[in-house]
Amino acid sequence: MIITCLDLEGVLVPEIWIAFADAVGIPELRRTTRDEPDYDKLMNYRIGILKEHGLGLKEIQDTIKKIEPLPGAKKFLDELRSCCQTIIISDTFSQFAAPLMEKLGLPTIFCNELVVSEAGEITGYKMRCEKSKLTTVKALQSIGYETIASGDSFNDLGMIQASKAGFLFRSTEKIIKEYPQYPAFTEYSELLDAIKKYL
């Protein structure tokens, strides 16, 4: 019994914070988990910038409505889901993910929650659990599943390392160079073929 665990941003959809940074013209918000391994540090940095510029949840959601899945992502996900159980495990937030899940055919996603004031200001966030991707993979393994994992960023490495098979997808040169033991792919067809070898 195998479950494939996929990252969301950079793997199936564009990076939300980069799209938002470009939409509002604040390049500092382009920083992601590819650049900063410490997620708490990254989120507090983002929340500080949003507060400084008077931006809230609505403005980010307006950008997200315009984001489309990466070319070929839905077809890849549909084919993968037809041959094995698949869960998206993301450090994004339910308030961001909902419209994107509709565009991807409503796959299962495990993600986190933003803390938002009545005025729409993002004041904090709640992680579903500590080291959510690794913890989720280990929990699945504890109830009898084997896992395959794929992602592109530092925060995906835990679930990749803990899985039966792990793959980097459209990752950075730095991560690919530091973790040469994990096959790195740029095309969905390559990733799908690699996953299928373990099913």
Side-chain angles (χ1 to χ4, degrees):
M1 293 180 286
I2 293 176
I3 293 182
T4 298
C5 301
L6 298 174
D7 179 35
L8 176 64
E9 295 178 64
V11 174
L12 298 171
V13 303
E15 293 279 353
I16 292 168
W17 287 99
I18 290 177
F20 182 61
D22 292 347
V24 296
I26 304 174
E28 294 86 353
L29 286 173
R30 290 180 61 88
R31 194 164 177 77
T32 72
T33 51
R34 288 175 164 212
D35 312 299
E36 175 53 69
D38 185 331
Y39 192 71
D40 188 57
K41 182 178 176 182
L42 178 62
M43 274 308 299
N44 287 322
Y45 169 79
R46 289 166 168 169
I47 289 168
I49 292 173
L50 293 176
K51 187 167 188 172
E52 181 186 332
H53 291 272
L55 298 167
L57 179 60
K58 181 186 181 300
E59 288 80 10
I60 300 174
Q61 287 178 326
D62 286 345
T63 296
I64 291 170
K65 286 175 190 171
K66 300 171 188 170
I67 293 175
E68 294 296 326
L70 292 168
K74 186 176 184 301
K75 182 182 177 188
F76 159 75
L77 193 56
D78 287 346
E79 192 165 344
L80 182 60
R81 290 168 73 194
S82 75
C83 57
C84 74
Q85 295 295 316
T86 304
I87 298 173
I88 297 169
I89 307 176
S90 175
D91 279 339
T92 193
F93 307 97
S94 58
Q95 296 97 327
F96 290 2
L100 297 170
M101 292 306 99
E102 286 187 30
K103 293 176 182 181
L104 286 169
L106 297 175
T108 299
I109 183 168
F110 294 167
C111 58
N112 305 306
E113 290 283 329
L114 288 168
V115 180
V116 184
S117 72
E118 287 187 13
E121 180 186 354
I122 297 171
T123 58
Y125 66 99
K126 292 180 184 174
M127 297 296 279
R128 192 169 41 80
C129 54
E130 193 176 344
K131 295 181 180 176
S132 60
K133 296 184 181 190
L134 173 60
T135 303
T136 301
V137 159
K138 286 189 169 180
L140 291 168
Q141 291 166 352
S142 77
I143 56 171
Y145 288 97
E146 291 184 301
T147 58
I148 298 171
S150 182
D152 67 329
S153 298
F154 283 109
N155 64 339
D156 299 312
L157 292 170
M159 71 173 180
I160 288 171
Q161 290 165 339
S163 292
K164 173 183 178 178
F167 309 104
L168 295 170
F169 187 73
R170 296 182 182 172
S171 190
T172 64
E173 285 184 23
K174 176 180 170 61
I175 293 174
I176 292 168
K177 189 174 178 182
E178 286 183 18
Y179 297 89
Q181 66 270 43
Y182 300 114
F185 302 116
T186 58
E187 299 299 325
Y188 290 116
S189 58
E190 298 172 324
L191 180 58
L192 187 63
D193 286 346
I195 292 170
K196 282 182 173 180
K197 288 176 184 175
Y198 290 88
L199 299 179

